[in-house]
Amino acid sequence: MIGIVLDGVVQGLQLALLSVGIVFVYGLGGVLNLAHGQMAVAGGLAVAILLQARWTPLLASAAGVVAAGSVALLLDRTLLRPAYTRRGEERLLLGLILTLGVSFALDGVYALWAPNIALTLRMPTLSIEVLGVRVRTASLAVGALSLVTFVVLLAFLKGTRVGQAIRCVIQNEVGAVLCGVDVERVRTLTVFLSGLLAGMAALAQGYFSFLGPEMGSEFTILAVIVAVVGGVRSLTGTFLASLLLGLVNAGLSYAVGTYLTWIALLAVAVLTLLVRPEGLLAYWP
Amino acid sequence: MLEVQGLWAGYDDVAVVRDVDLEVPPKGATAVLGANGAGKTTLFRAIVGLIRPRGGCMRFDGEPLSGRAPHEVVRRGIVYVPAERELFPQLTVEQHLELGAYCVPGAFRSRRQLAYDLFPRLAERKRQRAGTLSGGEQQMLAIARALMASPRLLLLDEPSTGLAPRLVAELYRLLAALLREGVTILLAEQHVQAALKFCQRVYVLKDGRIAYGGPAEALRGNPELSRTYLGESRGSPDPTVGPP
């Protein structure tokens, strides 16, 4: 039982890494990035390829995270530009279609170039004893990685000038412009940041179990479910929803199997929309 | 200070502001009057770069202004307070002042007290969220936030809209205090009498074109003339006087 809970918490933390990027870009840029999962995969595949080229794991991981960020940056600077010139629903719709196209294109590229590359990182010690339960060190590493990342992210948002700008653009873009905030730069930075976080999520997935080139859409869907449950403008909500869904996922995977678990996760999202359409926490922290 | 020549601006295919010439002299108040939909807001949005002008040229202190991004315009000293106020509902009064000073390093510390001196009501509500303030207080906060950016030219769009007459009078007393601080003001107003009393120079917009531009006294002392230019504002009460 403790094992399942622990597993759920770790999965939840990993889910948080994955989802916070999609929430960020939606809340700030008004674009729901349907290629978010593919960006994560880009990072994971980069790590796998670099490891094959005999880079040290640490260096390869860092490069992979930067690679995922770079894909996001490229998308922001090129394809998303026409979406940014529009506002409200028009931007959302154009963003959806553009990023959906990008997700197909990237899936195709991965299938063509890296069909057999997968990322599994082996930790030196496989499992240790915690609270009387055997826990894989990989789980602990993933949990620690996610937690530290989240704390750093919060400190960045609350404690720095740029973080302050990001928070105020999320609340009111025009208001931020009137204060002299360069919204375009803040947005680009945010998209880059979301790519970095997606890369870290892919890395975590590689540590935890396995990451394949075809997993992009799965990641995106998971992130969207978390965003719906947590509220699309709330970082804390995203964190709580990730933990909740991680626990649901771990518990049900154990009890009823993986396929039914997917249905259950979607059901949680639907239920949230019906009962509390603004998400667990409607607003920023 | 600000010169606008032959400005065309609008949205999609509709030109809202047509061939507008306007000049704002330094150290004083200039008003843009006109009915709803005459193009006052569009003119302001074009000046601060929120929409891209179709034609014409704008200069601020002799330097070209057209085509600049809105955040650059703020840095040059033109700050816009829209009628919608555009506050951050979840942030406190103090956080607004901090954000207002975003592009002027050190301004938050040095100017915060000035803002609170001008708006003592805001000083009492430092920790209150903007979304919970009354309409009048929100207007004060919007102006206070703009002042934090150390503006040389302040653009106020319908600052008195939605305010009780007593508050309108208070607002104009505050604006007079700002003028004494050396801030230049460009004001769009529907309260014609209040604006005529306060401003030295007046432009009247009609269907996006300038119908009158010149000293305010010419309209102030001449109800006939002011009726010609401001047709539908006939008999609009002077809000600074208060209800009878």
Side-chain angles (χ1 to χ4, degrees):
Chain A
M1 188 61 202
I2 298 177
I4 294 173
V5 171
L6 215 60
D7 220 30
V9 169
V10 172
Q11 281 184 32
L13 287 172
Q14 187 196 339
L15 209 50
L17 272 188
L18 182 67
S19 316
V20 74
I22 219 170
V23 171
F24 247 16
V25 173
Y26 181 76
L28 190 139
V31 169
L32 188 63
N33 180 8
L34 290 182
H36 190 68
Q38 276 76 10
M39 285 170 190
V41 171
L45 292 182
V47 179
I49 290 168
L50 291 175
L51 283 176
Q52 280 183 356
R54 303 193 174 278
W55 286 39
T56 61
L58 201 66
L59 207 59
S61 302
V65 170
V66 173
S70 307
V71 173
L73 193 62
L74 191 69
L75 182 67
D76 176 79
R77 300 275 69 198
T78 55
L79 276 174
L80 282 179
R81 304 221 64 160
Y84 291 148
T85 59
R86 290 167 171 79
R87 290 200 175 273
E89 255 179 56
E90 256 184 79
R91 184 193 289 182
L92 183 63
L93 201 63
L94 194 59
L96 276 178
I97 293 165
L98 282 170
T99 56
L100 186 65
V102 170
S103 78
F104 290 152
L106 285 179
D107 271 344
V109 169
Y110 301 155
L112 199 66
W113 289 352
N116 301 315
I117 293 179
L119 176 66
T120 26
L121 293 162
R122 299 257 173 256
M123 301 290 278
T125 345
L126 273 180
S127 50
I128 50 168
E129 196 101 3
V130 177
L131 300 168
V133 190
R134 290 198 76 73
V135 184
R136 294 189 306 148
T137 36
S139 302
L140 291 181
V142 167
L145 179 76
S146 311
L147 261 185
V148 168
T149 308
F150 239 87
V151 170
V152 170
L153 188 65
L154 267 182
F156 169 70
L157 286 173
K158 296 247 171 188
T160 66
R161 222 170 83 91
V162 184
Q164 188 189 33
I166 289 178
R167 283 164 58 210
C168 83
V169 176
I170 286 178
Q171 280 204 23
N172 182 349
E173 192 175 314
V174 178
V177 170
L178 296 177
C179 292
V181 174
D182 184 349
V183 169
E184 200 177 305
R185 238 171 75 189
V186 168
R187 190 166 53 208
T188 301
L189 181 78
T190 307
V191 174
F192 179 59
L193 208 62
S194 104
L196 292 182
L197 291 165
M200 298 200 63
L203 205 61
Q205 174 73 18
Y207 273 116
F208 196 67
S209 56
F210 158 87
L211 178 116
E214 73 295 338
M215 288 169 71
S217 305
E218 189 181 316
F219 280 165
T220 305
I221 293 169
L222 275 173
V224 170
I225 293 176
V226 171
V228 166
V229 174
V232 282
R233 284 176 193 277
S234 162
L235 190 63
T236 322
T238 305
F239 192 69
L240 290 179
S242 300
L243 282 183
L244 176 75
L245 290 171
L247 287 168
V248 169
N249 189 15
L252 289 182
S253 297
Y254 178 75
V256 296
T258 319
Y259 287 103
L260 283 174
T261 303
W262 271 99
I263 296 172
L265 289 180
L266 282 168
V268 172
V270 171
L271 206 68
T272 312
L273 282 177
L274 288 175
V275 178
R276 206 175 153 75
E278 71 276 24
L280 291 180
L281 300 171
Y283 291 99
W284 199 256
Chain B
M1 185 174 220
L2 175 73
E3 296 157 59
V4 176
Q5 282 169 350
L7 182 78
W8 288 75
Y11 306 92
D12 295 323
D13 294 331
V14 189
V16 181
V17 165
R18 303 145 187 257
D19 197 20
V20 162
D21 294 331
L22 176 138
E23 198 186 333
V24 180
K27 313 261 181 243
T30 304
V32 177
L33 305 177
N36 250 336
K40 303 188 295 287
T41 299
T42 308
L43 171 65
F44 279 17
R45 290 173 65 93
I47 291 173
V48 298
L50 282 172
I51 54 173
R52 194 170 278 272
R54 299 293 171 71
C57 99
M58 295 184 284
R59 291 176 165 277
F60 183 57
D61 281 346
E63 285 188 48
L65 198 65
S66 306
R68 300 226 172 255
H71 65 93
E72 288 175 46
V73 175
V74 174
R75 272 154 225 240
R76 281 163 173 262
I78 305 182
V79 182
Y80 173 45
V81 182
E84 297 78 20
R85 290 155 199 167
E86 304 288 359
L87 300 173
F88 309 105
Q90 299 295 313
L91 298 188
T92 63
V93 168
E94 182 113 337
Q95 284 172 319
H96 275 81
L97 298 189
E98 204 179 337
L99 280 166
Y102 181 80
C103 54
V104 193
F108 177 55
R109 278 156 183 263
S110 59
R111 294 184 70 89
R112 175 172 48 171
Q113 204 46 51
L114 171 81
Y116 284 141
D117 286 346
L118 280 169
F119 304 97
R121 208 194 292 256
L122 293 180
E124 293 162 20
R125 289 169 170 67
K126 274 180 201 175
R127 312 246 164 271
Q128 204 169 318
R129 289 179 181 213
T132 65
L133 297 175
S134 74
E137 289 161 354
Q138 289 192 4
Q139 184 61 57
M140 307 279 164
L141 181 55
I143 296 175
R145 183 180 70 178
L147 286 178
M148 294 301 287
S150 325
R152 286 185 295 143
L153 174 62
L154 195 60
L155 268 59
L156 299 167
D157 195 354
E158 307 273 356
S160 61
T161 301
L163 300 190
R166 187 177 50 79
L167 286 175
V168 176
E170 193 185 322
L171 177 81
Y172 273 95
R173 272 198 297 280
L174 275 165
L175 295 185
L178 289 185
L179 284 180
R180 284 195 295 277
E181 297 278 332
V183 181
T184 307
I185 292 177
L186 179 61
L187 183 78
E189 248 315 353
Q190 284 188 308
H191 285 310
V192 172
Q193 296 311 323
L196 285 179
K197 220 162 152 191
F198 180 70
C199 296
Q200 295 85 52
R201 203 174 166 76
V202 170
Y203 290 87
V204 178
L205 267 181
K206 211 163 195 176
D207 297 325
R209 293 180 186 276
I210 297 284
Y212 171 85
E217 340 164 23
L219 294 188
R220 219 182 283 150
N222 191 336
E224 272 307 311
L225 200 59
S226 97
R227 208 166 296 153
T228 320
Y229 289 122
L230 300 160
E232 55 193 63
S233 63
R234 175 190 337 221
S236 80
D238 181 349
T240 58
V241 172

